Amino acid sequence: MNETTNIVRFRQPDTIDDPLTDILRTGARKLLAQAIEIEAEAFLASMRDLKLPDGRERLVRHGHGPERTIQTGIGPVAVSRVKIRDRGDEGEDRIRFSSAILPKWARRTKSLDALLPILYLRGLSTGDFQEALS
């Protein structure tokens, strides 16, 4: 097939090509992934003494959950949470890992959640966005 080389892609109005923001998001994604991994390893280390009757460890890593996007102050950052499986009994005493850094259903950071009502109350209602953003 013949490929035409005279096609110029136009920048979409809702996308911004900012290399600095891309670098910040990449760095934030790496730091967040490292922090989540360290948190999961610390949880597993604290539960290392729990064993199954046959001597195997009761809690094991079980991969990662699906990648999802979290809204942050620098824009959306894609992250995935660590999954830890309890190989013990299927009862009420089942141990579950819940990340303090990345809750299971979080879609926005807490600072962004706190900012949205302030922006609405002070910015939209009064028209003074400068005061709301400071």
Side-chain angles (χ1 to χ4, degrees):
M1 294 212 136
N2 295 336
E3 291 187 32
T4 57
T5 58
N6 59 354
I7 298 174
V8 177
R9 296 208 180 268
F10 290 110
R11 186 176 67 83
Q12 298 297 319
D14 59 341
T15 60
I16 298 173
D17 185 25
D18 183 15
L20 181 60
T21 303
D22 292 339
I23 291 170
L24 290 172
R25 282 189 191 134
T26 303
R29 184 179 303 123
K30 287 179 183 177
L31 286 173
L32 187 56
Q34 285 177 347
I36 292 169
E37 292 289 331
I38 290 170
E39 183 183 33
E41 288 301 321
F43 179 77
L44 283 174
S46 69
M47 302 288 181
R48 202 66 77 195
D49 57 339
L50 297 175
K51 303 284 184 188
L52 293 174
D54 61 359
R56 296 180 299 152
E57 292 188 17
R58 180 175 170 180
L59 297 173
V60 292
R61 288 185 58 115
H62 194 61
H64 289 85
E67 191 172 81
R68 67 179 194 241
T69 304
I70 303 292
Q71 290 294 335
T72 66
I74 61 169
V77 175
V79 295
S80 62
R81 66 179 184 87
V82 174
K83 291 169 65 176
I84 295 178
R85 186 172 71 123
D86 184 0
R87 296 191 285 191
D89 293 331
E90 298 282 335
E92 294 177 10
D93 59 340
R94 187 171 196 101
I95 299 171
R96 296 193 183 271
F97 171 68
S98 179
S99 174
I101 298 170
L102 183 66
K104 193 171 186 177
W105 304 108
R107 297 287 182 215
R108 291 190 299 252
T109 58
K110 289 182 181 180
S111 60
L112 195 61
D113 278 341
L115 176 66
L116 291 176
I118 293 170
L119 281 177
Y120 179 75
L121 290 174
R122 292 189 184 162
L124 292 177
S125 62
T126 63
D128 188 12
F129 287 100
Q130 191 63 30
E131 179 187 341
L133 290 174
S134 64

